[in-house]
Amino acid sequence: MPKLIKDGAIVENDGWLPMDPEGTAPRVQHILSLEQWMTLDAKTNSAVQLEPGQPPAPLLEHLNELALVAVNFPAFTDGRGFSYARELREKGFKGELRAVGGFIRDQMHYLHRCGFNAFALADDSELEGALSALNEFSEHYQAATDEPAPLFRRR
């Protein structure tokens, strides 16, 4: 069974099934595409995956109902997911925010600072090294969702 990093620990997959773009009838604990999710009548405890070019605006009215938002990184060079995460957290999303796809270990610390608390790596054999990447820096100059005040304001 695949593993992921969630809340600073390596865990077995928590039961959420990956997005099935061909799926017509959503199942319980199935991560839905934005299009599939928008057709749901009851959005309570649902999960949705955002793709690049799909800003989180349609989710903002339902942040308290969502259990999980996955953000896909098809390539490590696509940074739109960083902005999506920060916007979701700043608007009040408290649920699981999961990075999926082609992000790399070097980005994980910054993904966490933007608000991600779960990481599904493309290769779960890299989890130990990736977990250590979350704590590679002990201090930050700039503000982020995990520390809203910049360093000069904290002195």
Side-chain angles (χ1 to χ4, degrees):
M1 176 170 264
K3 295 181 179 182
L4 57 106
I5 295 173
K6 186 173 177 180
D7 297 323
I10 297 172
V11 298
E12 293 292 329
N13 189 332
D14 54 4
W16 285 103
L17 299 171
M19 188 181 78
D20 177 12
E22 306 302 320
T24 54
R27 299 186 303 259
V28 174
Q29 281 206 290
H30 199 102
I31 300 173
L32 305 174
S33 69
L34 182 59
E35 293 79 17
Q36 293 166 335
W37 180 83
M38 290 176 72
T39 65
L40 289 178
D41 292 327
K43 295 180 176 10
T44 303
N45 294 321
S46 61
V48 62
Q49 180 167 308
L50 295 176
E51 299 294 330
Q54 294 180 327
L59 309 180
L60 299 180
E61 293 179 28
H62 305 279
L63 294 181
N64 293 330
E65 299 172 73
L66 286 162
L68 180 144
V69 175
V71 178
N72 185 30
F73 290 84
F76 76 92
T77 57
D78 192 330
R80 291 176 277 189
F82 288 84
S83 299
Y84 298 167
R86 184 166 181 152
E87 181 177 357
L88 286 165
R89 292 297 188 205
E90 287 176 348
K91 299 292 183 181
F93 180 60
K94 303 287 185 215
E96 180 179 333
L97 191 51
R98 183 182 295 184
V100 300
F103 61 92
I104 59 175
R105 176 189 186 278
D106 292 352
Q107 295 173 311
M108 288 185 57
H109 181 80
Y110 302 105
L111 288 165
H112 184 258
R113 294 209 69 217
C114 290
F116 286 97
N117 66 316
F119 307 89
L121 281 78
D123 180 5
D124 66 2
S125 69
E126 302 289 325
L127 288 174
E128 290 294 332
L131 183 60
S132 68
L134 292 176
N135 299 311
E136 286 184 335
F137 300 100
S138 61
E139 195 60 70
H140 306 94
Y141 290 111
Q142 61 280 84
T145 59
D146 64 345
E147 176 55 66
L151 183 62
F152 74 92
R153 294 274 185 226
R154 291 180 270 150
R155 291 183 175 216

